[in-house]
């Protein structure tokens, strides 16, 4: 089976600024991967390119061997870094909408998770706090039986207890054949669930390694390696 | 998928338009009621009511314009775009669903406005009179033109719809072209609109220079000879429809190309 995500000479320029520069990556299936880097390093750009929300300036990006398009969108579940849902909709309307458009959406899972987090499905998004909205967004994304989950800062705006719940949810809903790519800078929180890390800085990949290798060979935690590599 | 997109589009826009339609009809009814109560004491409320009615009417049409633009810009090229454009749906389906739903609301607004004006203006027995007049007109038309009345009505409706579509599509194309710019998107959008409109005008002028076109513009349609003139008139109408359709395709192609191959969602 092909790698779930493959980048080849991937470059993205915004005017004069090069957000991604000749990125070569191969992410295998069945892994939880951390895409780690300081602000503005190109993490979100890479993820947006995988979702066809940006077009590459150069190079290619392939999801399951295909270029981003309708087929890849069916198997990719994406959580953006922002509130992107229609504010006026109720949670149950959103669940209905996701069920309508995505064949692999599992509404029961969604309702279960909402119940655990004590979120009322009848509530309108407009009336929720930012943190609650983010939880709803995450629930919708994780309720899909996708092959690739792209989570851009999933735990940033959320309290520590909910963070734990979210990470547990990711682990629990994790289908062995699926890959989860989490982009974040809250490394110590997620370090324990990661299999593999990609360090990215100023649009270039500086390190790729399995977490085990880092711990065994370098004898450090991912968090301390990060601080070392990205020292200001 | 197109049907599903349209369903959600109607849901999202209906919550704005249906209350407006309702408000319009309510104020038409209130105005009617207040105007028909005789004594002058009711004049002021009646005037207020009709002013509010007028404001709602204008507001409704302005809203169809704003919605048309906003649904395309806000829902596809702004934060909501992160949801819409990651749906497993091709960009052309997004364009078509928004186009059709915008057209739906514009037509619905016109019909509601018409009905509301009848609510205000119609007196007892007027409706029966009007219907009688229409039937008479219809009979006369069939007498004179035969079954081509249907063809004419069909052509006129198509012409109106295509013109409406081309107006909406040129707006979408302008917004899409504006999206290509990193800064000053608003300015770029207006600029694109001006450029597209100018190109359209040039297109029509060039068309007008073709031999035979002057023949069309110098046709003398005599009332005595409507039957004979019909063929040429149909041709002219068909020509208009085809050219408008070409414009629609061009605007659509521009918009689709930008959404598929030049998207840069910020």
């Amino acid at each position: 089976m092909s790698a779930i995500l493959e980048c080849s000479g991937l470059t993205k320029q915004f005017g004069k600024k090069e957000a991604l520069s000749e990125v070569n990556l191969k992410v295998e299936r069945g892994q939880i991967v951390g895409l780690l880097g300081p602000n503005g390093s190109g993490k979100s750009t890479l993820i947006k390119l995988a979702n066809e929300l940006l077009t590459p300036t150069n190079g290619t990006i392939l999801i399951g061997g295909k270029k981003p398009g309708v087929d890849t969108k069916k198997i990719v579940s994406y959580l953006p870094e922002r509130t992107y849902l229609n504010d006026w909709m109720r949670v149950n309307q959103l669940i209905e909408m996701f069920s309508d458009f995505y064949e692999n959406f599992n509404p029961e899972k969604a309702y279960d998770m909402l119940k655990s987090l004590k979120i009322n499905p009848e509530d309108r998004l407009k009336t929720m706090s930012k943190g609650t909205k983010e939880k709803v967004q995450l629930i919708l994304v994780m309720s899909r039986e996708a092959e690739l989950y792209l989570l851009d800062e999933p735990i940033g705006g959320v309290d520590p207890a909910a963070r734990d719940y979210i990470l547990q949810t990711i682990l629990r809903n994790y289908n062995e054949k699926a890959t989860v790519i989490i982009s974040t800078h809250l490394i110590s929180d997620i370090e324990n669930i990661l299999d593999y890390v990609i360090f990215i800085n100023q649009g270039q990949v500086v390190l790729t390694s399995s977490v085990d290798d880092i711990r065994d060979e370098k004898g450090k935690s991912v968090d301390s390696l990060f601080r070392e590599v990205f020292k200001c | 998928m197109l049907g599903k997109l349209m369903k959600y589009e109607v849901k999202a826009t209906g919550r704005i338009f249906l209350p407006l339609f309702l408000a319009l009809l309510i104020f038409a009814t209130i105005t009617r009621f207040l105007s028909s109560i005789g004594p002058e004491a009711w004049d002021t409320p009646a005037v207020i009511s009709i002013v509010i009615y007028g404001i709602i009417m204008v507001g409704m049409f302005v809203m169809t314009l704003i919605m048309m633009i906003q649904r395309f810009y806000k829902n596809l090229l702004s934060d909501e775009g992160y949801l819409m454009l990651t749906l497993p749906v091709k960009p052309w389906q997004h364009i078509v669903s928004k186009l059709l739903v915008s057209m739906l609301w514009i037509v619905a607004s016109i019909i509601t406005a018409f009905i509301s004006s009848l609510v205000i203006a119609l007196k007892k027995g007027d409706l029966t009179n009007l219907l009688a007049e229409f039937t008479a007109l219809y009979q006369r038309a069939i007498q004179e033109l035969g079954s081509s009345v249907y063809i004419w009505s069909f052509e006129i409706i198509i012409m109106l719809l295509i013109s409406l579509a081309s107006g909406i599509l040129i707006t979408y194309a302008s917004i899409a072209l504006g999206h290509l710019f990193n800064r000053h998107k608003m300015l770029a959008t207006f600029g694109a609109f001006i450029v597209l409109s100018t190109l359209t005008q040039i297109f029509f002028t060039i068309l007008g220079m073709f031999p035979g076109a002057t023949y069309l513009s110098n046709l003398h349609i005599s009332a005595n000879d409507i039957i004979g003139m019909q063929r040429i008139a149909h041709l002219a109408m068909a020509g208009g429809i085809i050219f408008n359709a070409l414009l629609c395709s061009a605007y659509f192609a521009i918009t689709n190309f930008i959404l598929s191959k030049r998207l840069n969602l910020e």
Side-chain angles (χ1 to χ4, degrees), chain A residues 3-203:
Chain A
I4 189 68
L5 178 68
E6 233 179 296
C7 305
S8 198
L10 187 63
T11 310
K12 179 65 187 168
Q13 247 176 336
F14 290 107
K16 293 213 190 88
K17 176 164 186 258
E18 215 171 45
L20 279 185
S21 185
E22 298 286 323
V23 166
N24 292 308
L25 262 187
K26 213 166 172 182
V27 179
E28 301 295 336
R29 291 172 190 265
Q31 307 237 305
I32 303 190
V33 179
L35 182 59
L36 314 173
N39 293 327
S41 49
K43 311 190 290 289
S44 292
T45 307
L46 179 60
I47 294 180
K48 278 154 78 167
L49 280 163
N51 282 297
E52 218 193 6
L53 294 174
L54 293 176
T55 33
T57 314
N58 232 325
T60 55
I61 180 164
L62 297 174
I63 314 275
K66 294 195 189 149
K67 278 206 182 148
V70 177
D71 285 333
T72 66
K73 287 174 189 175
K74 288 185 185 161
I75 59 168
V76 173
S77 192
Y78 170 45
L79 180 66
E81 210 190 336
R82 58 186 68 200
T83 328
Y84 64 110
L85 298 174
N86 302 314
D87 242 2
W88 58 272
M89 278 180 121
R90 294 181 208 270
V91 181
N92 49 19
Q93 290 175 311
L94 282 162
I95 292 183
E96 203 193 310
M97 185 170 161
F98 270 65
S99 306
D100 245 346
F101 283 102
Y102 293 110
E103 259 176 50
N104 54 25
F105 183 76
N106 187 343
E108 283 105 44
K109 236 194 218 181
Y111 281 115
D112 265 342
M113 289 195 259
L114 286 170
K115 209 150 123 203
S116 309
L117 285 176
K118 303 202 184 43
I119 300 177
N120 181 4
E122 299 279 326
D123 284 344
R124 286 192 202 271
L125 281 192
K126 219 189 321 213
T127 62
M128 295 179 178
S129 68
K130 177 165 169 264
T132 314
K133 268 191 236 188
E134 290 191 16
K135 289 179 195 168
V136 170
Q137 289 182 176
L138 181 81
I139 288 174
L140 288 169
V141 169
M142 292 314 293
S143 301
R144 278 187 58 206
E145 321 266 352
E147 290 175 44
L148 176 63
Y149 296 87
L150 295 169
L151 312 179
D152 203 344
E153 291 290 352
I155 55 176
V158 175
D159 64 78
R163 258 185 232 163
D164 283 337
Y165 177 82
I166 285 169
L167 293 172
Q168 288 309 310
T169 307
I170 293 174
L171 273 180
R172 229 181 301 130
N173 290 306
Y174 174 50
N175 164 13
E176 269 143 37
K177 288 181 265 143
T179 297
V180 182
I181 298 183
I182 306 176
S183 141
T184 184
H185 22 253
L186 293 171
I187 300 163
S188 43
D189 276 294
I190 70 165
E191 196 171 325
N192 295 326
I193 70 168
L194 293 179
D195 294 320
Y196 201 80
V197 293
I198 302 171
F199 280 15
I200 183 170
N201 194 15
Q202 294 187 314

Side-chain angles (χ1 to χ4, degrees), chain A residues 203-220:
Chain A
Q204 292 183 304
V205 173
V206 283
L207 184 142
T208 64
S209 171
S210 73
V211 171
D212 290 333
D213 280 347
I214 294 180
R215 297 220 184 104
D216 295 338
E217 284 168 36
K218 305 217 168 107
K220 310 187 157 87

Side-chain angles (χ1 to χ4, degrees), chain B residues 208 212-222 229 232:
Chain B
T214 31
Y215 171 66
L216 278 173
S217 53
N218 286 337
L219 274 180
H220 178 72
I221 297 187
S222 135
M229 289 277 102
I232 306 253

